[in-house]
Amino acid sequence: MRLRQEGRTEEVARRLMEMVDLGLYAEGEQLPSESELAMQFGVATVTLRDALAELRERGVIETRRGRNGGSFVCSPQHASEDALLGQLRQMSALELRDLGDEHVAIAGAAARLAAQRSTSDEQARIAQYLDALASATTRQEQRRADARFHIEIAVAAQSVRLTHAETRLQAEIGEWLWLPVEGFPGAAAIEQEHRAILEAISAGDSNLAGALAEAHVTRGIKRLINLRLSLLAEDG
């Protein structure tokens, strides 16, 4: 979680918001202490406090005083479908392609390493998010289960950098992948793709796991590119 020197307060705030958005910190959950978070991010306590103050202003967390006090996660505010489509309109084809290239590289590498390094406990944890996706009833629950599946693969790869990269990418594009748009697959189809990736990881087949993960991500990006083109065509 170590950060670059520049823009530390903003970077800490963004990372924490990503974690809340992805459900890594759940609604009502208490954040670790300021000293613990500061140590995790490799920043001074005063920088961490400034980041928490920014999150309070945005309504992401609330601070309670007293013996059982601390910083607690508020109910996350999700972007509307219209807002997400508006954001997608503003993306260029090159930006989407570059995002896709990065995500394919990260997801493929993580899946290959997970097939080589993961333990049975880590594989069982990944499988939990297959079940979570199957039982999800809202778009946000589906998006979070999808994101956590990929993040847990990076964790199972035992790579801190891949885990951070996957988390950032899921925060950046994950909601777009679950827009209720014609031509996008439902949860059942995504679950089947996830299951195939996990089976390859569990079998220790790194080449197949990587290829399946790369194909899975590539399909998602292609759907986003096609959706953007259709939106621009509607705008005329």
Side-chain angles (χ1 to χ4, degrees):
M1 297 175 72
R2 298 277 168 178
L3 309 178
R4 298 183 299 272
Q5 292 295 318
E6 65 273 20
R8 283 186 163 193
T9 297
E10 294 75 12
E11 182 75 359
V12 172
R14 181 181 65 80
R15 294 267 188 100
L16 286 169
M17 286 185 66
E18 288 175 355
M19 295 170 80
V20 170
D21 186 46
L22 294 171
L24 298 172
Y25 287 126
E27 179 181 350
E29 183 176 347
Q30 183 175 3
L31 296 181
S33 67
E34 291 181 353
S35 59
E36 184 177 349
L37 280 174
M39 181 176 65
Q40 289 176 1
F41 282 104
V43 298
T45 303
V46 65
T47 301
L48 190 279
R49 287 175 181 164
D50 288 343
L52 293 178
E54 184 174 333
L55 296 188
R56 279 194 295 272
E57 290 180 5
R58 299 186 186 187
V60 177
I61 64 171
E62 63 176 356
T63 299
R64 304 172 193 169
R65 305 300 177 186
R67 176 183 294 180
N68 298 318
S71 296
F72 295 82
V73 177
C74 299
S75 176
Q77 299 178 356
H78 301 293
S80 67
E81 293 172 15
D82 287 342
L84 290 171
L85 291 172
Q87 293 168 6
L88 189 58
R89 281 187 174 91
Q90 298 304 313
M91 293 287 290
S92 70
L94 178 59
E95 287 174 310
L96 279 174
R97 190 188 70 185
D98 282 349
L99 271 173
D101 290 344
E102 181 182 9
H103 200 188
V104 165
I106 295 299
R112 287 186 178 89
L113 289 175
Q116 297 169 9
R117 300 174 177 174
S118 63
T119 65
S120 57
D121 287 344
E122 288 168 333
Q123 293 163 13
R125 185 169 177 81
I126 297 170
Q128 290 178 6
Y129 295 100
L130 293 176
D131 298 334
L133 182 56
S135 61
T137 57
T138 67
R139 176 171 62 87
Q140 286 302 328
E141 289 176 351
Q142 292 169 339
R143 179 267 174 121
R144 283 185 171 181
D146 181 22
R148 292 296 297 275
F149 173 84
H150 289 284
I151 291 169
E152 290 299 333
I153 288 178
V155 171
Q158 300 176 23
S159 169
V160 173
R161 289 184 178 273
L162 286 177
T163 301
H164 291 169
E166 184 65 56
T167 301
R168 173 178 52 81
L169 286 163
Q170 288 297 333
E172 191 167 359
I173 65 175
E175 282 201 276
W176 290 340
L177 296 170
W178 287 94
L179 284 165
V181 177
E182 184 178 354
F184 277 34
I190 297 298
E191 182 194 350
Q192 287 183 344
E193 294 183 10
H194 284 186
R195 191 173 300 280
I197 295 169
L198 179 55
E199 287 175 352
I201 290 172
S202 299
D205 191 334
S206 59
N207 288 333
L208 179 59
L212 289 173
E214 290 168 353
H216 173 67
V217 171
T218 298
R219 283 190 288 270
I221 292 297
K222 284 184 176 179
R223 287 191 291 268
L224 290 180
I225 292 174
N226 290 336
L227 174 57
R228 175 186 172 275
L229 290 174
S230 67
L231 292 172
L232 294 179
E234 290 175 5
D235 294 341

